[in-house]
Amino acid sequence: MSHYDSLIAQHPDRDDARVGRANVLAWLGDWDEATAGYEAVLAGDPGNPDALAGLGRLRLWQGRPSLALRAAERALATQPGNREARLLRRDARNALRTYIEPTLGWSDDSDENTALWQALGASVSLGDGVRGFGTLGMLEARDETLDAWRSLAEAGVTLTRGSVALTGATGVRTLEPDSGVGRTAWTGRALAVWRAASRFTVGAGLPISGLTAWQG
């Protein structure tokens, strides 16, 4: 930081130094000051590709991929070969993409304990800073004397505002053995994550279960 401060003191018109300083502030988690630095450069040079790429990366960290993509496109319109802008465009598009993730697994051991599980997860952008997700799954387990089936369904939303991301989800799980009683339980979870810096996050979660119904 002191290097950039020294350069700016000697050459106040050096946009590369001002962008470099803003990049350091963004990495350190001082996002308001970093934003002000990028915007000061863009006020004098609206097409500055490095400032646009830096501001766009910051918007992506803040959970605003649409704004990040817009900044990347503006930077590439000015300088098509800008590496940071191209990486930003790729990452912003990935953040806006819908994902579907199937899972299939099987296990067995010498005691003839066998398990087969299948799951299907999906995640979709619902707007800047809002992402919905859901999961459906089933597990079949058996040993020499007993078979059982477990199923699950969950849906939730992640809301990102600035450096804070909040996730809430609710679902249901069932257990159905081929003898005895089955059980159905409603579940939920909450998670809060704070991005203290570009590569450092702190989170806390709370699992919730209840409304359990027993079936014969």
Side-chain angles (χ1 to χ4, degrees), residues 38-148:
Y38 292 129
E39 290 179 343
V41 173
L42 292 171
D45 181 8
N48 186 294
D50 295 324
L52 286 167
L55 182 59
R57 180 63 63 180
L58 180 53
R59 294 295 183 239
L60 188 60
W61 289 341
Q62 293 174 323
R64 309 187 70 181
S66 293
L67 291 181
L69 181 59
R70 206 173 305 160
E73 297 290 4
R74 286 178 58 194
L76 290 170
T78 302
Q79 191 178 81
N82 188 283
R83 180 177 181 275
E84 293 302 320
R86 292 170 69 89
L87 292 174
L88 174 63
R89 182 174 62 181
R90 180 202 65 188
D91 294 343
R93 285 175 173 173
N94 286 339
L96 290 166
R97 189 169 296 158
T98 296
Y99 290 94
I100 298 177
E101 182 179 4
T103 303
L104 177 65
W106 177 82
S107 66
D108 194 9
D109 61 28
S110 59
D111 295 325
E112 299 186 17
N113 297 309
T114 303
L116 174 66
W117 62 90
Q118 313 101 57
L120 181 65
S123 173
V124 60
S125 175
L126 303 176
D128 262 353
V130 185
R131 194 160 190 90
F133 60 88
T135 303
L136 295 172
M138 178 172 287
L139 167 70
E140 179 183 0
R142 64 179 61 187
D143 58 23
E144 293 180 335
T145 60
L146 183 66
D147 290 355

Side-chain angles (χ1 to χ4, degrees), residues 130-200:
V130 185
R131 194 160 190 90
F133 60 88
T135 303
L136 295 172
M138 178 172 287
L139 167 70
E140 179 183 0
R142 64 179 61 187
D143 58 23
E144 293 180 335
T145 60
L146 183 66
D147 290 355
W149 294 263
R150 186 181 71 188
S151 59
L152 66 91
E154 182 187 61
V157 172
T158 296
L159 175 66
T160 303
R161 288 293 180 267
S163 59
V164 177
L166 303 174
T167 296
T170 185
V172 61
R173 297 173 183 267
T174 65
L175 177 63
E176 301 177 20
D178 62 359
S179 64
V181 296
R183 184 178 69 175
T184 300
W186 294 96
T187 64
R189 59 188 176 95
L191 176 67
V193 175
W194 172 50
R195 185 189 287 269
S198 64
R199 297 179 182 274
F200 179 72

